[in-house]
Amino acid sequence: MAEKDMTEKTLESCSDVFADIVNVLLFNGRQKVKESELEQGSYRIRKPCR
């Protein structure tokens, strides 16, 4: 189970993946949050993973 959590956290730390997750869950897939608009805060957001 811990390995799955680490994989999820790694993916969520990618700015492109994080933006996609937020857009799907909160905005029904419409691109409201753009990866270029994300800033690094206390939660680490990295460069795109794709």
Side-chain angles (χ1 to χ4, degrees), residues 6-28:
M6 288 304 297
T7 302
E8 288 177 12
K9 287 182 170 122
T10 300
L11 278 174
E12 291 169 356
S13 70
C14 300
S15 59
D16 55 335
V17 176
F18 185 82
D20 286 345
I21 291 170
V22 170
N23 287 325
V24 167
L25 293 178
L26 300 180
F27 303 111
N28 296 318

Side-chain angles (χ1 to χ4, degrees), residues 25-48:
L25 293 178
L26 300 180
F27 303 111
N28 296 318
R30 288 173 287 165
Q31 189 178 11
K32 298 279 189 170
V33 176
K34 297 180 177 86
E35 89 178 65
S36 60
E37 296 173 342
L38 296 174
E39 296 179 7
Q40 186 169 346
S42 59
Y43 184 76
R44 299 189 130 211
I45 300 290
R46 296 186 296 157
K47 300 281 185 194

Side-chain angles (χ1 to χ4, degrees), residues 1-6:
M1 186 78 165
E3 185 175 318
K4 182 178 178 183
D5 289 341
M6 288 304 297

